[in-house]
Amino acid sequence: MSTFQGTLENWNLWNIQDKELVSLILGRSGGITTSRIIDLILQKPLNKNQIAKTLNLDYKTVQYHINLLEVHKYTKSERFENVTYIFPTQKLFNALKEYKITKEMCKIMNTERNE
């Protein structure tokens, strides 16, 4: 058993510090899309068009998820010249371990729904 699997098995919702992030990923049907966007901007800052093209999503879908993440202060937009880039915030970096576990739980839950 890997360390991550052991962590996942011992995962307890009551031990989660950032329940807001868990709710954004697990508590909504669009949680997988939100996590895909988070994964992408954790790699490097991108603008909404780049995110939409990379993930093969509609621009309005990306706009909705980015807005949701910004309202909860997990991302921030910064304008450079004439392009606005989306950056992860310190709040997201602080919750990274919980985010990774939550993302795995989301995958498990969706796999179980589709079986």
Side-chain angles (χ1 to χ4, degrees), residues 22-49:
V22 173
S23 177
L24 281 175
I25 305 298
L26 295 180
R28 302 172 31 257
S29 60
I32 290 177
T33 302
T34 301
S35 70
R36 290 177 62 208
I37 291 170
I38 291 171
D39 288 342
L40 196 58
I41 63 165
L42 283 170
Q43 293 174 24
K44 67 178 181 179
L46 298 169
N47 66 44
K48 292 175 188 173
N49 282 318

Side-chain angles (χ1 to χ4, degrees), residues 28-111:
R28 302 172 31 257
S29 60
I32 290 177
T33 302
T34 301
S35 70
R36 290 177 62 208
I37 291 170
I38 291 171
D39 288 342
L40 196 58
I41 63 165
L42 283 170
Q43 293 174 24
K44 67 178 181 179
L46 298 169
N47 66 44
K48 292 175 188 173
N49 282 318
Q50 292 170 320
I51 294 169
K53 286 179 185 175
T54 302
L55 297 178
N56 197 26
L57 295 170
D58 182 68
Y59 179 84
K60 293 241 181 217
T61 300
V62 171
Q63 193 171 17
Y64 168 79
H65 288 274
I66 294 297
N67 184 50
L68 195 61
L69 290 166
E70 286 185 353
V71 165
H72 292 281
K73 301 191 182 343
Y74 291 108
T75 61
K76 62 181 176 179
S77 297
E78 290 188 20
R79 189 166 180 87
F80 294 100
E81 296 180 9
N82 62 344
V83 180
T84 302
Y85 291 95
I86 312 302
F87 290 85
T89 62
Q90 191 60 49
K91 181 178 179 181
L92 180 57
F93 285 119
N94 291 344
L96 210 48
K97 181 180 176 186
E98 292 172 344
Y99 165 68
K100 289 177 181 180
I101 293 170
T102 303
K103 187 172 76 167
E104 288 304 312
M105 289 298 294
C106 187
K107 287 179 186 175
I108 291 168
M109 289 170 61
N110 281 328
T111 301

